[in-house]
């Protein structure tokens, strides 16, 4: 199954069509050319409907069916029964029935289900809220199902099976899934938490009264001409007016009268119940199966010779299941990372980062405390170092265009001209001192006694 012709809209919805490719698996099947004796569905349909057409029209139908030698049971291959075979009654109905009730040109239980489906769905993406995430906004451009006149039967507020509103967000114990073949939405009720492939999920099963008895949620599906049974629902508006009814496979959770009327059925919960396992944070189904049985309501019609020996009962034709048993490895891996690994790893990484940062701050604080508290006063130490450096210096330090004259513990900043003048004065003073000493020596010699 693939989504094709995808188009996103400004109101945060997306439109697409489903492309279903059915592949035959021989090792899980009987030979598709094996012949099966099965009820003649077109004949039983028209004989039942003839009871509501009037005596003369019913007699006319009986004569036509007798002349064409129609039998209540026919022999078909498995492939013909499922995917279509030629039938005169169906061909006539396809040619003359009104467009809204016109069947396909061939009779087949799954006829027209292989390839791109004609209907197109517009779904909520969850961008503006998760309450309707994965639910229909429109179906074939309509905001309701035209086959049903009243709510909630005509409502399209349901999922097509890919996504559901997450229960952790909505806090709702009921979700809905739409089935095209049933042209209705089915209520799935939360039961209890489960686990699938190491991933937590919520188990949902079909509501016990989904197909009846009649109540406020499903009475709008009933047909006034047929008796109402528990666990049996009319879908004739979706089947071109044919008296087709749906139930759980093998009449599971249905009226015991339905089971007693036929032989060979044995309802079992594990293989006949509709269920879904939905991840509560993402709304993604991890596993799920929609299981449904198609039944034909047969009524005694004494005026139609071909079926006059039939009694009134619900004739089970076939049951089928559609869903997913295992996720593909990439999808399962991403769901596991998002719902199991990330919630566990994120707190570990966060708390680890907090602890690492805390230890780093403590280490820096301790080193700084030792350096600036337990040693001598830094200001005093810097001043003493500077004083020792000045004492060890030479008398003058030439630095660029300036020179520094150092005298004991003080210094004078002089420019080059001042330094040169000071040097010349020092030399002149030294010469005067030398001459003075020399004169004093001469004077001493003259004054000395002979």
């Amino acid at each position: 199954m693939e989504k094709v012709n995808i188009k996103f809209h400004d109101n945060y919805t997306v439109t697409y069509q489903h492309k279903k490719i059915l592949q035959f698996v021989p090792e899980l099947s009987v030979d598709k050319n094996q012949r099966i004796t099965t009820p003649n569905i077109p004949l039983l349909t028209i004989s039942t409907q003839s009871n509501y057409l009037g005596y003369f029209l019913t007699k006319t139908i009986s004569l036509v069916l007798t002349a064409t030698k129609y039998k209540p049971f026919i022999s078909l291959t498995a492939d013909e029964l499922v995917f279509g075979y030629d039938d005169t009654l169906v061909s006539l109905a396809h040619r003359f029935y009104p467009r809204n009730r016109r069947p396909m040109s061939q009779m087949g239980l799954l006829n027209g289900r292989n390839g791109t489906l004609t209907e197109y769905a517009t779904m909520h993406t969850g961008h503006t809220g998760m309450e309707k995430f994965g639910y229909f906004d429109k179906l074939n451009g309509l905001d309701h199902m035209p086959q049903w006149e009243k709510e909630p039967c005509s409502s399209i507020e349901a999922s097509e099976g890919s996504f559901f509103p997450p229960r952790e967000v909505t806090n709702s114990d009921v979700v809905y899934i739409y089935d095209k073949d049933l042209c209705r939405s089915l209520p799935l009720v939360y039961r209890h938490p489960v686990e699938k492939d190491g991933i937590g999920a919520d188990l949902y099963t079909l509501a016990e009264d989904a197909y009846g008895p009649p109540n406020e949620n499903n009475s709008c599906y009933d047909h006034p001409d047929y008796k109402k049974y528990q666990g049996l629902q009319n879908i004739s508006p979706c089947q071109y007016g044919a008296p087709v009814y749906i139930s759980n496979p093998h009449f599971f959770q249905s009226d015991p009268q339905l089971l007693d009327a036929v032989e060979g059925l044995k309802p079992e919960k594990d293989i006949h119940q509709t269920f879904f396992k939905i991840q509560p944070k993402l709304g993604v189904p991890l596993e799920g199966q929609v299981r449904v049985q198609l039944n034909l309501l047969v009524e005694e019609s004494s005026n139609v010779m071909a079926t006059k020996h039939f009694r009134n009962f619900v004739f089970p034709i076939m049951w089928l299941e559609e869903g997913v048993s295992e996720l593909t490895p990439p999808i399962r891996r991403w769901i596991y990372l998002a719902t199991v690994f990330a919630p566990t790893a994120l707190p570990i990484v966060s708390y680890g980062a907090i602890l690492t940062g805390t230890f780093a701050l403590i280490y820096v604080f301790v080193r700084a405390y030792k350096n600036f508290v337990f040693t001598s006063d830094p200001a005093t130490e810097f001043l003493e170092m500077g004083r020792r450096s000045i004492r060890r210096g030479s008398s003058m330090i030439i630095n660029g265009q300036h020179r520094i004259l150092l005298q004991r513990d003080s210094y004078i900043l002089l420019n080059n001209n001042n330094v040169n003048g000071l040097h010349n004065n020092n030399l002149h003073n030294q010469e005067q001192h030398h001459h003075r000493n020399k004169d004093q020596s001469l004077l001493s010699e003259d004054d000395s006694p002979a």
Side-chain angles (χ1 to χ4, degrees), residues 380-393:
T380 303
E381 185 177 352
F382 290 149
L383 289 175
E384 184 62 28
M385 290 174 58
R387 189 178 291 112
R388 287 197 299 268
S389 298
I390 292 173
R391 287 173 180 173
R392 289 196 302 266

Side-chain angles (χ1 to χ4, degrees), residues 114-392:
N114 198 6
T116 302
L117 304 184
T118 56
E119 69 177 11
Y120 55 95
T122 303
M123 316 294 294
H124 292 280
T125 62
H127 186 87
T128 57
M130 299 299 288
E131 291 75 12
K132 293 185 178 181
F133 171 63
Y135 274 9
F136 286 98
D137 178 58
K138 286 183 173 57
L139 184 61
N140 293 325
L142 302 175
D143 59 0
H144 66 283
M145 284 184 278
Q147 296 90 344
W148 313 106
E149 297 179 357
K150 300 178 182 179
E151 292 278 355
C153 297
S154 61
S155 173
I156 61 171
E157 192 169 303
S159 167
E160 46 80 46
S162 299
F163 301 97
F164 293 86
R167 183 168 174 267
E168 286 196 0
V169 176
T170 64
N171 296 318
S172 175
D173 290 339
V174 181
V175 295
Y176 295 88
I177 182 170
Y178 169 79
D179 192 299
K180 179 185 184 301
D181 297 319
L182 312 182
C183 59
R184 68 157 291 183
S185 59
L186 301 175
L188 302 174
V189 181
Y190 168 75
R191 303 303 180 182
H192 54 78
V194 293
E195 189 173 286
K196 172 69 174 178
D197 297 331
I199 303 173
D202 290 337
L203 175 65
Y204 291 80
T205 63
L206 185 68
E208 290 83 355
D209 62 350
Y211 301 137
N215 55 42
E216 60 181 6
N217 295 323
N218 59 32
S219 59
C220 44
Y221 293 115
D222 291 333
H223 194 288
D225 296 329
Y226 302 133
K227 181 180 177 181
K228 301 174 179 61
Y229 294 91
Q230 178 180 348
L232 191 69
Q233 182 212 305
N234 167 52
I235 60 167
S236 58
C238 300
Q239 302 297 324
Y240 317 107
V244 178
Y245 281 66
I246 59 171
S247 67
N248 286 320
H250 286 231
F251 293 125
F252 173 69
Q253 293 181 330
S254 300
D255 193 315
Q257 296 181 53
L258 303 174
L259 186 62
D260 295 339
V262 294
E263 295 180 0
L265 300 185
K266 184 180 178 181
E268 296 182 28
K269 177 180 178 181
D270 293 339
I271 61 176
H272 297 143
Q273 185 180 46
T274 294
F275 75 95
F276 270 81
K277 296 177 182 178
I278 304 174
Q279 213 293 319
K281 294 181 179 179
L282 303 179
V284 178
L286 307 181
E287 181 183 3
Q289 297 289 345
V290 175
R291 293 161 171 161
V292 63
Q293 179 171 294
L294 300 179
N295 309 280
L296 188 67
L297 181 66
V298 177
E299 292 183 332
E300 181 182 359
S301 182
S302 57
N303 294 322
V304 179
M305 295 299 296
T307 60
K308 69 176 182 178
H309 298 298
F310 269 74
R311 56 187 169 85
N312 295 337
F313 76 112
V314 177
F315 204 135
I317 303 298
M318 70 174 296
W319 76 270
L320 54 91
E321 65 179 16
E322 182 179 11
V324 57
S325 298
E326 296 290 340
L327 295 176
T328 60
I331 295 178
R332 184 170 61 249
R333 185 162 50 249
W334 280 112
I335 294 177
Y336 181 85
L337 289 174
T339 61
V340 179
F341 179 78
T344 303
L346 186 60
I348 295 175
V349 173
S350 300
Y351 291 133
I354 293 173
L355 290 175
T356 302
T358 302
F359 285 129
L361 290 174
I362 292 174
Y363 175 78
V364 171
F365 177 78
V366 170
R367 289 296 302 269
Y369 187 76
K370 288 181 178 180
N371 291 336
F372 291 97
V373 174
F374 293 101
T375 60
S376 59
D377 186 7
T380 303
E381 185 177 352
F382 290 149
L383 289 175
E384 184 62 28
M385 290 174 58
R387 189 178 291 112
R388 287 197 299 268
S389 298
I390 292 173
R391 287 173 180 173
R392 289 196 302 266

Side-chain angles (χ1 to χ4, degrees), residues 389-408:
S389 298
I390 292 173
R391 287 173 180 173
R392 289 196 302 266
S394 60
S395 60
M396 285 186 297
I397 299 174
I398 301 175
N399 183 14
Q401 297 299 321
H402 297 83
R403 294 183 181 182
I404 301 175
L405 177 62
L406 302 176
Q407 294 180 353
R408 293 183 181 179

